Amino acid sequence: MTAANVTRLGVIGAGRIGKLHAENIALRLPEAEVAAIADVDLAAAQAAAARLRISRAVADYRHLLDDPALEAVVICSSTDTHAAIACEAAAAGKHIFCEKPIDLSLERIDQVLAAVGQAGVHFQVGFNRRFDPNFAQVRRMVAEGKIGAPHLLRITSRDPAPPPLAYVRVSGGIFLDMTIHDFDMARFLMGSDVTEVYAAGSVLVDPEIGAAGDLDTVVVTLRFANGALGVIDNSRQAVYGYDQRVEVFGAGGMVAVANNTPDAHVYSNAEGVHSAKPLYFFLERYTESYINEMRAFLAAVRAGTTPPVTGRDGRQAVVVGLAARRSYQAGRPVKLSEIQA
Amino acid sequence: MTAANVTRLGVIGAGRIGKLHAENIALRLPEAEVAAIADVDLAAAQAAAARLRISRAVADYRHLLDDPALEAVVICSSTDTHAAIACEAAAAGKHIFCEKPIDLSLERIDQVLAAVGQAGVHFQVGFNRRFDPNFAQVRRMVAEGKIGAPHLLRITSRDPAPPPLAYVRVSGGIFLDMTIHDFDMARFLMGSDVTEVYAAGSVLVDPEIGAAGDLDTVVVTLRFANGALGVIDNSRQAVYGYDQRVEVFGAGGMVAVANNTPDAHVYSNAEGVHSAKPLYFFLERYTESYINEMRAFLAAVRAGTTPPVTGRDGRQAVVVGLAARRSYQAGRPVKLSEIQA
Amino acid sequence: MTAANVTRLGVIGAGRIGKLHAENIALRLPEAEVAAIADVDLAAAQAAAARLRISRAVADYRHLLDDPALEAVVICSSTDTHAAIACEAAAAGKHIFCEKPIDLSLERIDQVLAAVGQAGVHFQVGFNRRFDPNFAQVRRMVAEGKIGAPHLLRITSRDPAPPPLAYVRVSGGIFLDMTIHDFDMARFLMGSDVTEVYAAGSVLVDPEIGAAGDLDTVVVTLRFANGALGVIDNSRQAVYGYDQRVEVFGAGGMVAVANNTPDAHVYSNAEGVHSAKPLYFFLERYTESYINEMRAFLAAVRAGTTPPVTGRDGRQAVVVGLAARRSYQAGRPVKLSEIQA
Amino acid sequence: MTAANVTRLGVIGAGRIGKLHAENIALRLPEAEVAAIADVDLAAAQAAAARLRISRAVADYRHLLDDPALEAVVICSSTDTHAAIACEAAAAGKHIFCEKPIDLSLERIDQVLAAVGQAGVHFQVGFNRRFDPNFAQVRRMVAEGKIGAPHLLRITSRDPAPPPLAYVRVSGGIFLDMTIHDFDMARFLMGSDVTEVYAAGSVLVDPEIGAAGDLDTVVVTLRFANGALGVIDNSRQAVYGYDQRVEVFGAGGMVAVANNTPDAHVYSNAEGVHSAKPLYFFLERYTESYINEMRAFLAAVRAGTTPPVTGRDGRQAVVVGLAARRSYQAGRPVKLSEIQA
């Protein structure tokens, strides 16, 4: 790949996810190059730059927006800054890969979508799970009609351990920090929009989570535009590790995927038959999906096609999350039209 | 086993389930004997008697209640007759195994429970699935604390084909004819009562089912007295066969069971890797559970202990079913206290 | 089933396997009746008769052969008596179900086959594993051509614990007391005769087995008449239970079966994912196969067709066993023609 | 990673496996750098260099040996050149990663081992499968004593399609071109040397393979120094894809691994339950193992420790292969001492 063929990107944010994307681009995606990395903590940006041989590290992301050599930016800063940076980046004519959620406010999301639309730049939201080989295969089979019309969706999504309470207090709550991934997965797998949500929840893992105003165990029922039903169950703590399973059932059959494990050994002894726990958490489980989503973004940018996770996708997941939160608070099912109005 | 040790039973009803119980007792449970069988269709009773070498076949079940040699009756007549026969049998001092549901009316159920209580006879309701080796093993592990405090329950229960429309019209609806088994399973597995229900439903399999006033695809969220949450999904038609799976997740782990298959072959060819579908329907899948439940009833009768599925268990499943039906109709969660009042 | 339709059998031998067959016939096969049971230990015969409501118990099996009401006998006496009893039973015109092995001497086996042939009675050898639903399904798929021409066979067959040393000393050795089942399975699954055997063996489980002149761990390579190859591995002790797996690989695919377990639970906790061990031993694992083989024998007797496991099948398994023993002793492959000559 | 910390390697051979190693080093192993690549087909070397941004491409590997900046070479040239190049590279003081087999002649292998020993350079043989996460986990568990003393080893290793006949004619035969991987795996998993081999073989896949003097279907029995037994089955054509399974059974249990698949979907429809075939062939299945083996080589070079696959390992696999070939030809078991003498 000659230098002329390489897409130059700037990464904004050198935290966990920013470093992950920077490393994937630098080491695994020869079609692109991280030309610069920005972080309000300049030392963090510099450390990542040194490790990944990125030539430029800055504190202020605006330097990246001003750099005519950059075609696109990857926004990995803190959630509350996504919208503003995305609007500026769009105005600067940069294509945008934006981590999820775009924002927790629909108003601000709409500002971003408007800015992106006016600027005519590509915009992709970081719902990486769509690019997991297992879930992508499920979607492919559903889309191909292998199960006929979808009737029921089941998603189990359980974290190995709760996040820090400090995070819980500002995250917007479980429906917006955790279930939001499943809401996007639900729309993706079913190929249909959610129209109504009913959310039940409990505090069973840790009373401190309840004291912080949040839930740790939820069951969410979804109704889709095509009449199908779905259900998501979440727990903030599965002692056996990250539990990520989906199943789509339809008129002609069912397709499901189980958890990924670090290896496939089966050990039999006098006590029973034993195998490996699921991969520990999202960095291990979704390794490949992060590479795939960035590859897809780059391909869309280079081909001038619509990225596979659109701004509307990013918005809809938040709408479902807001509906779920309201449903739990009101103790009744909530139509998405109540939220979007 | 000498004749003196054998429990003499009368079977009331020689339809599908009556014949099943009669055959299990006659051929597989040497500790008991079917001394008589009754059916309003005398020919049906006689045919069953001939095949199973039962010495007496009658049209009127009252002959069985009057027979002092019979210690117990197995009520397998049509649902609308269960309550009346059970009351009479209790008055006659017979122990009672009663097919589910006892009745769809809580008032009549309470009459039965009162009659049984006054007569001091043993009373067991035919929730056979509790005696399936797989589900029994899940319950055992939950009861032993293997998963710690239960947090989440998932039940998938899908029939291979819808019942006849004539049945759908009189069955009380999917929540009372199909999900009722899952409601009992939920209480059994969790060891806790349901306190609130939210039911969502659709007609996706066959519009005729909708025209008959029923649903064919439902998702039911349960809240338990211990704070745990559960979810049941049902379909009246799974093209791959009878889908019967459960999973209980708790603070210390998870236990789940998959479907039973006729054999365990795995076939690999150029198209993929293939294995057997689940056993077709309840007669194939739950064969062993029917024998086990009757053995447990006989053991309780002989030992003078409380049968493992009580009248209250039979009543509670109906209460949950009525709550689910009301929830669907009202479009909101329904507390069980609204139904029981 | 009227009495006139019932096949009357006599069971010879009231040891473990004799009682098993008697119970299966008495309780699970309404098309037949155990009319009498014989055992040199009369008390054992009487105990079995009382428990199973068999009307006649005798010490001398000749009373059964003299009884014109009996159509067939089930020979479950000690192995060294099989041949003599079978010859007498044939002479008496009784159809014969004979436990394996017919004998360890080919000369005596040939006498039995001659006697049976002259008398024109049905003769079935008790290779029950052919009737296991899993193995029967593998055979069915091979016979249907699902895997094309068979190329490779793998059989793993490991006992949960070694037999008593007293048994080891007189059994004829592992190839004739244990692998013989696998030799029959190999012929059955491949639908082809074995032509050459190479047997390797070790004493790894218990040096006492070696001191008794036997092996406890063996690997046997088979060559079939159709050019295919097979391999059997045996151990006298698998701490995780009875390990019984087969796999047939061919030009068009592969079919395999794994072990049967008492239940299908999957338990996940902080240590891993756990499931049940295989069913403990042959009585648990092959329960159904014993019923099925007797049903097949009865069906053949009643229909006048050739039983599904013939005298030649019984002979060939012994021939392969003798070849394996010689191969191990000589340290070279042995052709079956060397044994049969 | 600063330039000073990077190990500079030369890759000799720009064929399929040379390009694979070059790409792994260039894109996935930041601790190393491909400083030069050589191939007798200079255009091939240049194409690889351009694609992977390797600064130097030459036709004659001796330029690499003469380059003082290179610390190590990766020998991926044709098998018949391995020994000579390895001797020269050792003399030049380069550490050596050598693709398998070192050579098919024990004499030449011994020359290489002597040269390497005299030069004091690190030498690793490319038995990549040891670095597959599944097989490595099996070995780890065996080494940790999880199964107690090993008694039985089973390896199934079947290719999806035969190699070209031109290759078959010069490869040394199936035992040296295909089973050799399994011979190394056997020694690796058991942690014990093979002492005796018995090989049976057939031509069942393609008569042309037989006409070329080779076999396509083999079963090899191994005896290990520790008394354990093992069996390998190979086919040159499994229509369902690359079949790579191992199982180690011992006094305390068993550990096994099944095949890897591209995804974990399970699809149920009216015909059955279906899942993905194994990954197609070694490039797909062993992707990770190639990276891991090179990382281990680099780590050994940098730490000055013995590489994890030694020259003796490379030699022993060939010895077992030669013994297997002789066993097949002679129709009898062959002791390794017959070959090594």
Side-chain angles (χ1 to χ4, degrees), chain B residues 86-161:
Chain B
C87 287
E88 288 181 67
K94 307 301 184 198
H95 301 302
I96 300 165
F97 180 98
C98 182
E99 265 307 314
K100 54 115 311 223
I102 305 174
D103 199 284
L104 297 182
S105 144
L106 291 183
E107 191 182 353
R108 276 196 296 276
I109 291 175
D110 288 337
Q111 289 167 357
V112 171
L113 301 198
V116 161
Q118 284 161 20
V121 296
H122 289 300
F123 184 79
Q124 181 171 325
V125 178
F127 280 124
N128 60 294
R129 294 185 192 175
R130 292 186 178 207
F131 300 88
D132 173 77
N134 280 337
F135 299 141
Q137 171 68 359
V138 173
R139 171 57 195 155
R140 198 175 303 124
M141 294 181 77
V142 172
E144 287 170 353
K146 287 279 171 63
I147 63 158
H151 289 179
L152 284 167
L153 166 73
R154 290 196 343 176
I155 296 178
T156 284
S157 175
R158 301 167 189 161
D159 284 354

Side-chain angles (χ1 to χ4, degrees), chain A residues 134-154:
Chain A
N134 281 336
F135 299 141
Q137 172 68 0
V138 173
R139 172 57 195 155
R140 199 175 303 123
M141 294 181 77
V142 172
E144 285 169 354
K146 288 280 171 62
I147 64 157
H151 289 179
L152 284 166
L153 167 73
R154 290 196 343 175

Side-chain angles (χ1 to χ4, degrees), chain A residues 213-284:
Chain A
D214 201 8
L215 305 163
D216 55 36
T217 306
V218 304
V219 168
V220 183
T221 303
L222 305 173
R223 177 175 289 277
F224 293 89
N226 61 11
L229 302 174
V231 64
I232 297 163
D233 73 83
N234 288 161
S235 169
R236 288 209 185 266
Q237 183 169 290
V239 296
Y240 51 84
Y242 199 37
D243 193 348
Q244 298 280 295
R245 291 172 283 156
V246 308
E247 170 183 318
V248 191
F249 167 86
M254 169 171 72
V255 58
V257 286
N259 283 308
N260 287 10
T261 53
D263 62 70
H265 85 268
V266 177
Y267 171 50
S268 302
N269 66 1
E271 278 69 47
V273 176
H274 319 279
S275 56
K277 290 189 290 184
L279 287 165
Y280 180 66
F281 209 172
F282 64 98
L283 292 180
E284 293 82 14

